[in-house]
Structure formats: structure tokens, C-alpha cells
Amino acid sequence: MRKLFLLLMLTGLMKYGKAQQNPAIVWGTLQLPLHLSPKWQLPVDFSYRTIGISASALQYTFRTGARRIINDKWNVASGIAFFFTRTSFKKENHEFGREFRLWQEAVLDNRITNNLVLQNRFRTEERFFSATTIRPAFTALRLRYRLAAIQTINEKWAVQLADEYMHQLAEERFSFQQNRVNVSFAYLFSSLSRIQAGYIWSKLPASSQHFITLTYQKIIRLYGNSGNTK
């Protein structure tokens, strides 16, 4: 029943996205976090974002870094990221702009009940954009705050509701950049792998954007018994 509900929800979002002025973006992500020890992790993820319901790429991304687990509530991380983004939603446009990022974040997980976690994440990003035919090179500083509620339904299913606010300093102006509201459902194959599907509505300064998300995560653990999934 949950699988049928999820399929109907995503189908409806796809049809809704096609009717928008800007097509909905399908956001596929592969996450391969490398766990070096109980205290240290290397986050690694790749994403591919499309123009509408198609295979035409809007953006390619890669992110990595290092994460330190301080205790069962706090962790901090820092790293780099590369973004390649088409300069318009037109499929015949083959120009991609390049962006390099430095990022830092702190995450606080508060367990409200055995099955409910309230997560706070604060992230900073130093963004370096290369020049394209439609704009010169520039830099920006973006601040992001995300509040998420993660509810475990049973051994296999979880649901997440989140809101993320972003403010950016660019061209000597510090202003609202976007706000994302997200709902997603996760199916857990084991403690080391899961698949997650959902929807994001992003409010921009003068418009809005819709995302359909699909994420596969596989944890690679290099300590202890990596074959133990319980």
C-alpha cells in the first residue's frame, strides 16, 4: 500500500511539473559515504538533475569532504564540491557554467522519541562561479539552515519532512536566495543501504521551482564487521 501511494504521489508530481513555466527538475543522487571509523566519515555523493521528465541534463554535481562525529548528537563536516549547470532550461543550449564550492556544516540530532529525530543543520558555502556567455565570473557566500523531522515507521520505512532557508551575499548584496520545503519517503534495504524518493518545492525571490528526488545511499564501512547489516 505504501509503495502504491508513493508511486501515485510521484506520478502526480510529474504531471504537475510539466504544466509549470519552468519544468520540474528530476534530481537523482548516488551517495557513497565512506565510514573510516566510528568517529570519522568521508561523505561522497554524485547527482544528475534533468530538465523536466527527460534525460537532458540541467546539472551534474560532485561533493566530498570529511565528517567528524563528536557524540550521538553533534557532528561537523567540511569539504569541496563541483557543479556544472546548463545556463538555461533550453535543451538546445549546450553551454554549462562551472561552479566550485567550499562548504562547512554543523549538525545537531535531537531524539524526541525512539522513532522520531529532530535534525538541525547549519551550512556555509563559499561559491566560485566561472564566466559564461550570459554573465561574468563572480563569487558568493551562502548561509543555509535546515530543520528536519525524521520519523521511523517500521524496520523498513521512514518519512522525512524538512524546511531549508538560504540567504546569500553576492555582488555586495546580502539577500534571500531560496527556501526549500521537502517531503520524502525512505525504504531501508539494510542498515547500510536505502532508497529515498520525494518532492521539493523551492521558493525563489521571483518564482518557484519543483523537484522530484530519488536518492540511493550505500554506506561503505571500513572498520568492524562490514557484512553485519543489523
Side-chain angles (χ1 to χ4, degrees):
M1 179 61 70
R2 293 190 184 96
K3 293 181 181 179
L4 177 60
F5 172 77
L6 185 58
L7 179 61
L8 291 175
M9 182 189 74
L10 291 179
T11 301
L13 290 174
M14 289 180 183
K15 291 180 179 178
Y16 179 71
K18 289 181 179 179
Q20 305 305 303
Q21 183 177 2
N22 286 335
I25 296 171
V26 179
W27 184 346
T29 302
L30 173 64
Q31 297 178 340
L32 300 171
L34 188 64
H35 289 203
L36 304 178
S37 74
K39 293 293 186 180
W40 286 99
Q41 300 173 5
L42 300 181
V44 177
D45 72 67
F46 307 84
S47 78
Y48 182 83
R49 306 178 193 182
T50 71
I51 301 174
I53 313 303
S54 73
S56 297
L58 176 68
Q59 187 178 71
Y60 306 89
T61 79
F62 170 70
R63 187 192 308 271
T64 190
R67 185 177 305 279
R68 170 67 174 175
I69 310 300
I70 299 173
N71 52 42
D72 60 353
K73 288 187 176 182
W74 284 95
N75 69 82
V76 294
S78 181
I80 61 173
F82 299 91
F83 286 68
F84 301 89
T85 307
R86 197 186 299 255
T87 55
S88 76
F89 279 90
K90 297 178 180 179
K91 297 179 183 180
E92 60 272 19
N93 169 30
H94 300 293
E95 182 185 31
F96 282 76
R98 292 175 295 169
E99 178 192 352
F100 171 71
R101 290 185 192 176
L102 300 172
W103 61 273
Q104 308 82 34
E105 70 178 29
V107 179
L108 170 63
D109 289 326
N110 283 312
R111 185 164 293 279
I112 308 303
T113 68
N114 288 336
N115 296 321
L116 177 63
V117 173
L118 193 64
Q119 183 181 84
N120 293 267
R121 185 184 76 187
F122 178 72
R123 176 182 289 177
T124 59
E125 296 172 328
E126 296 80 43
R127 313 177 71 187
F128 304 88
F129 295 87
S130 298
T132 68
T133 58
I134 63 172
R135 58 165 172 74
F138 71 99
T139 61
L141 171 66
R142 186 163 68 176
L143 307 181
R144 305 170 58 162
Y145 171 68
R146 183 175 182 269
L147 177 64
I150 305 165
Q151 174 73 50
T152 300
I153 300 172
N154 54 38
E155 292 183 354
K156 292 294 184 181
W157 287 93
V159 60
Q160 177 177 271
L161 297 174
D163 183 83
E164 185 171 24
Y165 180 86
M166 306 182 201
H167 221 75
Q168 182 165 274
L169 173 64
E171 298 177 341
E172 300 183 348
R173 181 181 178 187
F174 189 50
S175 59
F176 167 75
Q177 199 261 336
Q178 66 175 295
N179 190 85
R180 291 177 179 171
V181 178
N182 168 242
V183 57
S184 62
F185 294 86
Y187 179 80
L188 286 68
F189 298 105
S190 70
S191 62
L192 300 179
S193 64
R194 65 172 58 195
I195 191 167
Q196 189 166 334
Y199 166 73
I200 296 173
W201 175 70
S202 179
K203 179 66 178 73
L204 303 169
S207 62
S208 62
Q209 183 65 60
H210 304 270
F211 299 83
I212 299 163
T213 63
L214 183 64
T215 301
Y216 176 73
Q217 182 187 80
K218 173 64 177 178
I219 296 172
I220 301 172
R221 195 168 66 189
L222 299 183
Y223 67 94
N225 181 9
S226 60
N228 181 11
T229 60
K230 300 297 183 181

